[in-house]
Amino acid sequence: MMDNLRAASNHVVLKIILGLIILSFVLTGVGNYLIGGNGDYAAKVNGQEISRAQLERAFSNERSRQQEMLGEQFSQLASNPAWLQQIRQQALSRLVDEALLDQYAKDLKLAIGDDQIKQAIFNQPAFQSNGKFDNARYLAIINQMGLSADQYAQALRKQLTTQQLIAAVTGTDFMLPGETESLAALVSQERLVREATIDVAALAAKQSVSDEEVKNYYEQNKNSFMAPEQFRVSYIKLDAASLQKTPDESEIKSWYDSHQQDYTQPQRSRFSVIQTKTEADAQAVLDALKKGGDFATLAKEKSIDPISARKGGDMGWLEPDTTPDELKSADLTQKGQLSGVIKSSVGFIVARLDDVQPQQIKPLAAVHDEIAAKVKRETAIDAWYKLQQKVSEAASNDNESLQSAEEVAGVKAVETEWFSHDNPPAELNFRAVEQAIFNGGLLGDNGAPGSNSDIITVDGDRAFVLRIAAHKPEAVKPLAEVNAEIVEALKTQKAQAQAKSQAEKLLADLQAGKGADAMKAASLSFGEQKTLTRSGQDAVTQSAFSLALPAKDKPVYGISEDEKGNVVLLALDQVRSGTLPEAQKKAMVQGITQNNAQIAFEALLSNLRKEGKIKYGAAAQAQ
């Protein structure tokens, strides 16, 4: 099975998978990955239980990811229970795959050392501030998860072991030099061709089309001549920004007084700690400190917490919300004060209060302009909501026009030009507004103008009330309107048929060795030789590379079509190997191995699923 993993960890898909696995621990907690279930499980993988809590957490994460990715479309999809169940099953499938990979890694006896765990923690962006590891941030995050440092390290070790499983076979896939060179020669191959073009436009100009042909074409292709549904809309726009006014000083002062907590920095304390496994070790550390021992030196020598030990025990600045309960209960109040031996969930600790910063409140002068902007914006929003209510009532009470709504709003309604579903006016190019216009709810009988819309809020600070002023249903354009278009289409069809017939006869003559006379009679000749490469995506290049290899001094002929619709005769004179720069050659090989990696990784998971005993519980279907 290891052979199926070749080059797997290089593939970008797998790197994303591994990144998401690690990130899920940092942002959502891993406690439920470390404890068993209570019988109400989602699945059992070879006897290992995936609990309901694990599934709910994974489902919630995936739901949030989909919401961020899909934006406004998410609400519509999420209203469908079947779609949500599909997302739930995808989340469960990933949990099952993670369990299978973890078990397989254990079977192979893969292991991660303590130094690797430390480095992974130091490198985790979620634990960094300004690009550097922040011990206080690290402790605060894992405390919020309800985890100790040991528990988090255990979960991280599990994920790094799975990553090692993939990395173990990273370099096993390769291409032999001969294979690489042969493929490079094929990819960089060049073909030398000459072209003779039959001008379809010139032939079209000589064609004649009868009225009967035009009529028949029109009847057979009416669906091609549909005029789209069209609208003219009258609308009133309410914009909160237009209602902003500069607040007076009393308003600013009142805001500051009622929101003073927003400008308050709570008291912060800075602690240093030494963590030990046993109470005796902690007491020995405390005795050494009381005899004048250096705290930082002892922390580096004795502390079993690698993070704080690295910094001489320093935990950085902690606010009340991020201070562990053990430190709070030590009741340290004086700078330099030592705690006694403190029992904690991770063993025993000795702590020292290094410094205290008292609560600080920013003065009004320092935040005056910021508050003024907030008051200005929120006052406008309040006025905007009140105006919306008044305009909505007016539009509802006078449902035959926008006149009453105009009077209340203090602005005149704007009327658009005609537009269709594909080209709404930029001013109305909002999903909610377009839905109101196009869903038929504002049309009266037989497509006549109907009622005013409700207030439609967009972007949080703008709103519209509108009505359809005029409407044209989708309809077939009359023949007179499209007659010239049909005539040109028929002429082109006839010209293309004539050009293809001529090209086929010329091709037969060229292949029979009578091409010179035939080409001369048709007033055609091949142009200068061109060099084509496989990178060309046009039809002529694709046709040239589909031709058989020519013999020496004996061209191979074919037919193609250029981007203008002209018919092109091709003469392939020579095929030669090109050169591929080393960088492109390397990228080609990497692309092939990465593609193989993705296939191999899926094959591994498929085998593990097939061989594993997977049993799904009731929680797998719970909503």
Side-chain angles (χ1 to χ4, degrees):
M1 189 177 293
M2 287 290 287
D3 291 337
N4 290 332
L5 269 173
R6 292 193 292 184
S9 64
N10 276 338
H11 197 273
V12 65
V13 173
L14 306 185
K15 290 181 179 178
I16 292 173
I17 291 172
L18 291 169
L20 289 175
I21 290 171
I22 296 296
L23 187 61
S24 69
F25 283 93
V26 175
L27 298 182
T28 64
V30 296
N32 285 317
Y33 286 81
L34 304 176
I35 59 176
N38 58 3
D40 183 18
Y41 63 89
K44 287 185 179 179
V45 183
N46 296 319
Q48 177 182 330
E49 183 176 297
I50 297 174
S51 68
R52 173 188 288 272
Q54 285 177 259
L55 175 57
E56 295 302 336
R57 190 186 307 279
F59 172 57
S60 177
N61 291 344
E62 179 61 19
R63 196 175 189 278
S64 298
R65 190 182 73 84
Q66 291 284 343
Q67 185 172 11
E68 182 176 351
M69 181 175 66
L70 296 173
E72 294 180 356
Q73 188 181 0
F74 176 80
S75 297
Q76 181 178 355
L77 290 171
S79 64
N80 183 353
W83 184 80
L84 286 178
Q85 184 61 25
Q86 180 183 353
I87 297 298
R88 185 184 183 85
Q89 290 303 316
Q90 290 173 354
L92 178 56
S93 178
R94 279 195 293 273
L95 290 175
V96 169
D97 288 346
E98 288 174 24
L100 288 168
L101 287 171
D102 179 54
Q103 293 168 4
Y104 185 53
K106 289 179 180 176
D107 290 343
L108 296 176
K109 302 190 185 312
L110 299 180
I112 295 294
D114 291 343
D115 289 341
Q116 291 171 283
I117 296 293
K118 293 178 187 177
Q119 198 58 46
I121 293 174
F122 292 152
N123 293 339
Q124 180 56 252
F127 300 149
Q128 295 178 357
S129 297
N130 299 320
K132 294 183 179 180
F133 178 77
D134 187 331
N135 188 57
R137 183 178 179 85
Y138 158 73
L139 291 173
I141 290 175
I142 66 172
N143 282 335
Q144 288 171 3
M145 295 179 189
L147 299 174
S148 67
D150 285 345
Q151 287 174 321
Y152 179 78
Q154 179 184 349
L156 187 56
R157 189 185 305 276
K158 173 182 174 182
Q159 296 309 310
L160 292 179
T161 303
T162 302
Q163 186 174 2
Q164 187 186 56
L165 167 63
I166 297 172
V169 290
T170 297
T172 61
D173 190 47
F174 63 91
M175 290 180 64
L176 294 171
E179 293 177 319
T180 301
E181 293 304 322
S182 296
L183 183 58
L186 185 62
V187 169
S188 61
Q189 187 185 92
E190 298 174 343
R191 296 203 165 195
L192 280 60
V193 301
R194 290 170 291 131
E195 301 175 13
T197 301
I198 302 175
D199 190 341
V200 170
L203 292 176
K206 300 176 183 179
Q207 307 298 320
S208 60
V209 177
S210 68
D211 290 343
E212 186 67 22
E213 289 176 309
V214 171
K215 183 178 179 182
N216 288 339
Y217 186 94
Y218 176 74
E219 292 297 330
Q220 294 169 10
N221 297 277
K222 279 188 175 181
N223 288 340
S224 301
F225 305 113
M226 298 297 295
E229 183 181 28
Q230 292 185 296
F231 301 82
R232 282 212 323 267
V233 170
S234 294
Y235 67 90
I236 296 171
K237 176 183 176 182
L238 306 177
D239 192 338
S242 66
L243 302 176
Q244 290 186 356
K245 63 178 183 178
T246 302
D248 57 40
E249 292 302 317
S250 63
E251 291 176 303
I252 296 173
K253 179 66 165 58
S254 176
W255 172 278
Y256 176 76
D257 290 341
S258 60
H259 295 82
Q260 204 167 91
Q261 71 277 6
D262 295 341
Y263 307 104
T264 300
Q265 168 69 59
Q267 176 179 301
R268 301 197 304 170
S269 302
R270 190 159 194 157
F271 295 92
S272 289
V273 300
I274 299 174
Q275 177 182 323
T276 66
K277 287 186 176 180
T278 68
E279 184 175 9
D281 290 341
Q283 186 61 53
V285 166
L286 181 59
D287 292 342
L289 290 171
K290 290 181 177 179
K291 292 177 181 178
D294 182 68
F295 198 103
T297 301
L298 286 168
K300 292 177 181 179
E301 293 176 352
K302 304 294 185 181
S303 182
I304 63 171
D305 175 20
I307 309 303
S308 60
R310 188 182 185 190
K311 296 187 175 183
D314 182 23
M315 295 184 66
W317 289 105
L318 299 175
E319 295 181 1
D321 289 344
T322 59
T323 301
D325 291 338
E326 292 90 341
L327 295 181
K328 291 180 180 178
S329 63
D331 196 26
L332 301 178
T333 57
Q334 303 297 321
K335 293 181 184 180
Q337 183 180 355
L338 287 172
S339 71
V341 173
I342 304 171
K343 189 177 187 317
S344 74
S345 60
V346 295
F348 297 86
I349 61 174
V350 175
R352 183 183 69 188
L353 177 62
D354 295 329
D355 201 356
V356 176
Q357 285 185 350
Q359 173 179 288
Q360 298 177 356
I361 302 175
K362 292 182 180 179
L364 175 58
V367 293
H368 179 278
D369 292 346
E370 175 187 339
I371 293 176
K374 287 183 179 180
V375 173
K376 181 178 181 180
R377 184 169 57 252
E378 294 200 0
T379 301
I381 292 292
D382 288 342
W384 180 63
Y385 279 121
K386 292 176 182 177
L387 181 60
Q388 279 189 61
Q389 182 63 34
K390 293 179 181 178
V391 171
S392 176
E393 292 173 357
S396 177
N397 293 333
D398 179 9
N399 212 9
E400 299 298 320
S401 73
L402 291 177
Q403 183 176 348
S404 296
E406 287 177 322
E407 294 173 358
V408 172
V411 296
K412 296 292 292 181
V414 177
E415 185 167 317
T416 69
E417 298 295 332
W418 286 104
F419 63 90
S420 67
H421 290 252
D422 296 330
N423 64 337
E427 187 75 356
L428 301 180
N429 192 13
F430 299 97
R431 183 180 179 85
V433 175
E434 291 176 10
Q435 285 180 334
I437 296 171
F438 298 138
N439 68 11
L442 300 183
L443 287 173
D445 295 336
N446 300 316
S451 59
N452 298 332
S453 74
D454 294 329
I455 286 286
I456 304 169
T457 304
V458 298
D459 286 358
D461 60 356
R462 279 169 286 179
F464 293 86
V465 60
L466 51 87
R467 67 181 287 107
I468 294 174
H471 172 258
K472 293 180 183 178
E474 182 184 49
V476 178
K477 296 178 182 178
L479 175 57
E481 187 177 332
V482 296
N483 187 82
E485 179 184 342
I486 294 175
V487 168
E488 288 304 313
L490 288 171
K491 285 184 176 182
T492 299
Q493 281 185 4
K494 291 183 176 183
Q496 286 177 331
Q498 181 181 338
K500 289 178 181 177
S501 176
Q502 181 182 1
E504 289 169 357
K505 291 177 182 178
L506 288 170
L507 178 61
D509 289 336
L510 288 165
Q511 291 172 337
K514 300 181 292 184
D517 293 338
M519 293 286 286
K520 185 176 180 181
S523 300
L524 289 173
S525 61
F526 285 105
E528 294 293 324
Q529 198 174 70
K530 297 180 180 179
T531 300
L532 303 180
T533 65
R534 288 189 184 274
S535 61
Q537 298 300 311
D538 59 286
V540 171
T541 299
Q542 298 299 312
S543 297
F545 274 90
S546 69
L547 295 176
L549 300 180
K552 185 177 181 181
D553 299 327
K554 190 176 181 181
V556 173
Y557 299 99
I559 298 175
S560 187
E561 187 175 303
D562 66 15
E563 69 278 2
K564 296 179 181 179
N566 297 317
V567 177
V568 180
L569 282 163
L570 297 175
L572 174 58
D573 295 325
Q574 183 183 350
V575 175
R576 66 188 183 194
S577 297
T579 57
L580 199 63
E582 285 301 318
Q584 292 184 24
K585 196 181 299 183
K586 183 178 179 181
M588 176 189 70
V589 172
Q590 184 178 11
I592 293 172
T593 55
Q594 286 182 348
N595 184 63
N596 291 341
Q598 184 175 11
I599 295 171
F601 186 72
E602 285 300 325
L604 170 68
L605 284 176
S606 178
N607 287 340
L608 291 175
R609 294 184 197 114
K610 187 184 300 182
E611 296 172 3
K613 294 181 180 179
I614 303 171
K615 180 181 178 181
Y616 294 98
Q621 299 297 325
Q623 295 293 327

